[in-house]
Amino acid sequence: MQRWKRWVWGVAGTAGLVSGCVAHGPPPRELLDARTTYQRVSVNPVVRQQSAQPLTEAWHALLEAEREYDRSKDSPKTRSLAYVALRKAQLAEAQASIAVAQHQRAVAAQALRQTQEAQRRQSQAQLDAAQRQLLEARRLRDEAAQLAEARRLQSQTVQLQQEAQRRQEEMDRLAQEQRQRSEAETQAQRLAQAEQALEVERRARAEAETRAAEEREARARAEAQAATALAGLARQGELKVSEDARGTVLTLSGSVLFASGEDDLLPSARSKLSEVAEALKPTHNRLTIEGHTDAQGADRFNEDLSFRRAERVRNFLVSQGVAANRVEVRGLGEYRPVASNSTAEGRANNRRVEIILQRGDATGVGGSGQGGPP
């Protein structure tokens, strides 16, 4: 094979393998909450008007969480950034609420000032009337019959002034007490809501951590069970179990599975693959089935044959209960030899099917699990 063809196929194979390892799990709860909260507050005209800067910061925080989700999916960093975005959106909403409350207090204060001004004008009118009465009394002071009435009017004016002042002070005191009660009730409600939200969040996080621990334990037990079963199959021969960067690799000789140049499974291969399927079913890791050939024959024929053989193995495993959405199929032809093609033994080793059990990678939902030749 030409050197440039090996290089191109090697790069393509590596890219496909990396893309196959990416988990397709749903977004984390924190990111969904951050999206929902930002969507709600961003369409609120009060928030857009009163909290434009905090809303912009919430948008940038959500964008950063989305980018981290694209890079690392459901990682602690993704959940942390999503939590920050959620809190920023809630902060923008809270600040808008505070601004509205301040505006309402300002309107109430204006109404109070108007009431006080009306009362002041009324008191002034009463005072003016009393003063007119006093002037009238002074005008008639020379008349002895009216002197006592003038003094009475003067005393009544003083009483009216004192009563007006007392009423004004009482109204000011009541208004101050009302403002203090309103502010205290608002603060108490906010504290209660914050404590309730924190408790709900703490319980949800504890439940999520418990479920995650249980899933990890179940996955570890399944992987250990599969490793034990696969090790037993390896001891029986005709199956090699190894570990590399891709995960656990099960290598089956092509001569054990297929007749020369054919892609129909041999009867003995079905028995062997049934045992492999029983070992793989308890696990939830993704599987990649790779078909390989030796260098004899045309490149395109080898690629097509290796893919059809890998697909036959996939279909048989699925028929034995392995979930179809866990499995990806690749036909690599002659492009990844493990031995020299110049000897019969080397060519026999190159004619193989490899089943890769990817480590630490839970399967996604809804994927076809199928691929074509690279």
Side-chain angles (χ1 to χ4, degrees):
M1 181 194 306
Q2 295 179 1
R3 186 176 182 182
W4 68 271
K5 290 178 65 178
R6 280 199 302 271
W7 180 84
V8 169
W9 284 109
V11 171
T14 302
L17 181 58
V18 171
S19 65
C21 293
V22 176
H24 300 283
R29 182 72 259 173
E30 292 86 348
L31 182 56
L32 294 177
D33 291 344
R35 291 173 178 172
T36 301
T37 302
Y38 178 79
Q39 177 63 25
R40 173 170 52 78
V41 302
S42 65
V43 298
N44 189 327
V46 176
V47 177
R48 297 173 66 90
Q49 180 180 4
Q50 301 294 338
S51 301
Q53 180 61 31
L55 185 60
T56 299
E57 294 175 359
W59 181 83
H60 285 296
L62 179 58
L63 181 59
E64 185 177 358
E66 293 286 0
R67 289 173 175 168
E68 181 60 30
Y69 174 66
D70 289 341
R71 290 191 296 267
S72 62
K73 300 302 176 185
D74 187 10
S75 67
K77 186 175 182 181
T78 297
R79 293 193 296 272
S80 177
L81 290 174
Y83 180 78
V84 171
L86 172 64
R87 286 294 177 258
K88 285 183 178 290
Q90 292 174 340
L91 176 61
E93 187 177 36
Q95 290 183 354
S97 299
I98 291 173
V100 171
Q102 290 176 343
H103 174 71
Q104 292 174 346
R105 286 199 298 271
V107 172
Q110 178 65 24
L112 178 61
R113 287 194 296 270
Q114 292 175 351
T115 301
Q116 292 173 344
E117 178 62 21
Q119 291 176 345
R120 186 193 66 78
R121 287 196 298 269
Q122 182 179 4
S123 298
Q124 185 64 42
Q126 293 175 346
L127 179 59
D128 292 343
Q131 288 177 343
R132 286 193 298 272
Q133 291 176 359
L134 180 58
L135 291 174
E136 181 66 15
R138 286 176 180 176
R139 187 180 66 82
L140 299 175
R141 65 186 172 188
D142 293 337
E143 298 179 6
Q146 298 179 354
L147 181 59
E149 181 65 14
R151 290 176 178 176
R152 188 189 66 80
L153 290 175
Q154 184 177 13
S155 176
Q156 184 180 10
T157 299
V158 173
Q159 291 177 357
L160 289 173
Q161 291 175 337
Q162 291 176 347
E163 181 64 17
Q165 181 177 0
R166 187 190 65 78
R167 289 181 180 179
Q168 183 63 44
E169 292 176 350
E170 181 66 16
M171 292 184 65
D172 291 343
R173 184 184 64 81
L174 292 175
Q176 179 66 20
E177 291 178 354
Q178 179 62 30
R179 287 194 298 271
Q180 292 176 349
R181 284 196 298 271
S182 178
E183 292 175 357
E185 291 174 357
T186 300
Q187 185 65 22
Q189 290 176 355
R190 290 175 181 170
L191 290 175
Q193 291 173 354
E195 291 176 356
Q196 183 179 6
L198 288 174
E199 178 62 19
V200 171
E201 181 182 347
R202 184 192 64 79
R203 292 179 180 177
R205 185 173 298 174
E207 292 175 358
E209 291 175 354
T210 300
R211 288 195 299 270
E214 292 174 351
E215 290 175 359
R216 286 194 298 270
E217 292 177 0
R219 187 178 301 169
R221 288 195 299 269
E223 291 178 356
Q225 180 181 354
T228 301
L230 292 175
L233 292 176
R235 287 193 295 270
Q236 297 174 15
E238 299 179 350
L239 171 65
K240 178 183 177 183
V241 180
S242 61
E243 297 285 340
D244 63 17
R246 299 172 296 172
T248 301
V249 181
L250 315 180
T251 303
L252 298 100
S253 173
S255 61
V256 174
L257 300 177
F258 305 98
S260 177
E262 300 294 331
D263 59 20
D264 289 329
L265 289 170
L266 295 172
S268 59
R270 296 176 180 274
S271 175
K272 181 63 64 178
L273 288 175
S274 295
E275 297 177 353
V276 172
E278 288 300 318
L280 295 178
K281 279 194 297 185
T283 68
H284 299 278
N285 304 59
R286 294 191 68 82
L287 300 172
T288 299
I289 301 177
E290 295 180 350
H292 301 268
T293 66
D294 58 27
Q296 292 184 333
D299 290 355
R300 190 59 191 175
F301 175 80
N302 287 336
E303 293 168 17
D304 184 62
L305 177 61
S306 64
F307 175 73
R308 286 186 283 111
R309 286 180 170 182
E311 195 171 48
R312 290 293 189 275
V313 173
R314 172 197 180 276
N315 293 340
F316 184 83
L317 294 179
V318 170
S319 72
Q320 297 301 306
V322 176
N325 65 345
R326 295 176 52 192
V327 188
E328 177 187 10
V329 174
R330 297 173 58 78
L332 300 180
E334 62 186 87
Y335 301 120
R336 288 190 182 173
V338 295
S340 172
N341 280 300
S342 61
T343 65
E345 181 180 359
R347 291 191 296 272
N349 289 331
N350 290 333
R351 294 191 298 271
R352 67 195 189 280
V353 172
E354 292 183 347
I355 302 174
I356 298 97
L357 179 65
Q358 301 171 10
R359 65 171 60 89
D361 179 28
T363 59
V365 176
S368 67
Q370 297 183 6

